Amino acid sequence: MRLTVIGCGYVGLVTGACLAAAGHEVHCTDIDEKRIDQLRMGRIPIFEEHLEQVLSRAVAEKKINYTANAGEAIRAGEVIFICVGTPPKETGEADLSAIDHVARQIANEARTPKLVVEKSTVPALTGVQLQKALAAYSRNGTVKFEVASNPEFLREGTAVEDFFHPDRIVVGVENARSAAIMREIYAPILERKFHCPVHGGTCPEGNSGELLVTTISSAELIKHASNSFLALKISYANVISDLCERIGADVEEVTRAMGLDPRIGTQFLKAGLGFGGFCFPKDIQAFIHLASSVGVEFDMLKAAESVNKQRIQRFFEKIHKALWVIKGKKVAVLGLAFKANTDDIRFAPALDVIRRLLEEGAEVHATDPQAISKAHALVPRAIYHEDPYEALKGVDAALICTDWQCFRTLDWEKAGQTMARRLVIDGRNLYSPKKMQEMGFDYHSFGRL
Ligand code: UGA
């Protein structure tokens, strides 16, 4: 099928590349001409495992192209995926101006009927507005548009795997014709007829995902309801962690036992610095806002958000207690990305930690396997090191902010020999408190004995 992807950010890049790898002809466009130039030269502007492999295969098979000419891309596809950003406004409400802009552009440029698919995360009822805008701006009302919602459930770092091996594919549609088109688009994935970049020729047996057909409003709601629930789970674990510290229990023992109940599940119960990234913090706010706009007060989400905001303060209480005065101290920050396996620093707790350390007068030495250049552009006052052992030289304390595997396996004996003081404050509970103590470290983490 001929598809158009508008917006070459994280979601658009992964969606376009994976749909092309699944055998479709994909035309991608973006308002950012520089980004399009980069992509045409084969440069991928984000770090995402397997994406390069998927993309180079799609390019070699001439299944994907990038153009800055939106009209050309719009006319080339039968189905148009809108993958533009929906950042938060000051109020927490989602800013839908890019969706509105694209809707007008599609209506103006299309010459034949299109199925327009919301892939960007949008609040419920956006589909209704999108349909209205497409009809209102349609050239003389002659070109007909249908709308669908197809939320993505991709996690950064494992997005390609998530795309090819989904738990579920949700398509919110107006009618059976749109449902059939969406089913055809995802048929290669559901039938596993694609070259899997993650497992080569041997994908694990079992579930290949279920395609759920819903109304558009349900599909929109499913996305926000899922992300908010996961955020709620993390904040719950963080409150349990605070409680563990007060009463002398171990949060990992507690959450592991809780999670063995399949009704609860072990995932997203890791305590620490809390959630960041461009999804949970903004989606939870947009969901609260949407609920309130229709007269439903989502107090439990407000509480989850407030618990998350307090995590940095809780971290600093630990730093102050262990290090005492921050001013004039040399501090290493291990991890800049909001989580492991990505270079994304949007709403990353590590950046809030660094800014506050700098405000309090520390000399900050930061390291991350992927996110240094992005962090440097935002916080140039910190000193950045590619090598974590260099970042740790002569420091009074090491702070762990991201759960990268290379930090988990760091040789602390080696690092400890060059640190001015053997103090580690771990915001991601990466190490065994017992082992760190045995190595002579003053070690602090969240909710553990
Ligand atoms: C999240 C969802 O997991 C995806 O399903 C969704 O498609 C995506 O948002 C989106 O809306 O696009 P992502 O933001 O990539 O994916 O990251 P997660 O793996 O969900 O982690 C979010 C944050 O929670 C990270 O900062 C992570 O460190 C933190 N986290 C996660 C915890 O603090 N504790 C946990 O137990 C799990």
Side-chain angles (χ1 to χ4, degrees), residues 10-11 121 151-158 162 168 223 226-227 230-231 233-235 237-238 266-283 308 337-340 342 344 347-349 401-403 427-428:
Y10 168 77
V11 173
T121 299
E152 52 86 16
F153 302 104
L154 311 173
R155 292 161 300 171
E156 292 190 25
T158 53
D162 293 344
R168 77 285 207 204
K223 169 70 189 198
S226 302
N227 272 9
L230 292 171
K233 235 182 141 182
I234 297 169
S235 281
N238 279 327
T266 48
Q267 295 190 50
F268 283 70
L269 284 177
K270 266 190 245 116
L273 264 176
F275 56 81
F278 203 57
C279 301
F280 287 179
K282 91 174 162 63
D283 288 356
N308 198 55
F338 80 96
K339 66 170 189 180
T342 177
D344 196 343
F347 297 97
C401 291
T402 312
D403 54 345
R428 295 294 176 188

Side-chain angles (χ1 to χ4, degrees), residues 12-13 15-18 20 24-28 54-55 57-66:
L13 281 172
T15 302
C18 292
H24 300 292
E25 177 189 311
V26 185
H27 303 265
C28 305
V54 176
L55 207 51
R57 197 183 174 94
V59 169
E61 290 175 357
K62 297 201 169 22
K63 289 285 186 193
I64 196 161
N65 68 66
Y66 295 93

Side-chain angles (χ1 to χ4, degrees), residues 3 17 43 51 99 108 142 195 277 303 311 324 350 378 385 404 426 442:
L3 311 176
R43 272 193 238 131
L51 186 59
I99 302 259
N108 195 41
T142 48
H195 178 87
R311 297 322 283 166
W324 188 31
L378 273 188
H385 305 264
W404 282 100
D426 182 356
D442 181 12

Side-chain angles (χ1 to χ4, degrees), residues 69 79 81 88 117 132 178 184 218 269 300 314 356 374:
N69 184 333
V79 179
F81 285 85
V117 184
K132 268 196 204 165
S178 300
E184 193 182 331
S218 293
L269 284 177
M300 67 175 88
R314 294 279 301 106
R356 180 147 167 201
K374 287 190 175 167

Side-chain angles (χ1 to χ4, degrees), residues 93-116:
E93 187 186 359
D95 179 351
L96 301 175
S97 54
I99 302 259
D100 172 64
H101 174 253
V102 166
R104 283 183 281 135
Q105 209 170 27
I106 296 171
N108 195 41
E109 299 285 356
R111 303 286 180 269
T112 52
K114 308 280 177 197
L115 175 61
V116 180

Side-chain angles (χ1 to χ4, degrees), residues 9-64:
Y10 168 77
V11 173
L13 281 172
V14 175
T15 302
C18 292
L19 287 174
H24 300 292
E25 177 189 311
V26 185
H27 303 265
C28 305
T29 186
D30 195 289
I31 202 167
D32 181 346
E33 289 186 22
K34 265 200 208 136
R35 180 163 279 235
I36 293 292
D37 285 346
Q38 268 190 328
L39 285 161
R40 290 169 76 115
M41 286 187 285
R43 272 193 238 131
I44 305 176
I46 57 165
F47 170 74
E48 183 64 47
E49 223 185 335
H50 305 298
L51 186 59
E52 199 174 336
Q53 204 183 333
V54 176
L55 207 51
S56 44
R57 197 183 174 94
V59 169
E61 290 175 357
K62 297 201 169 22
K63 289 285 186 193
I64 196 161

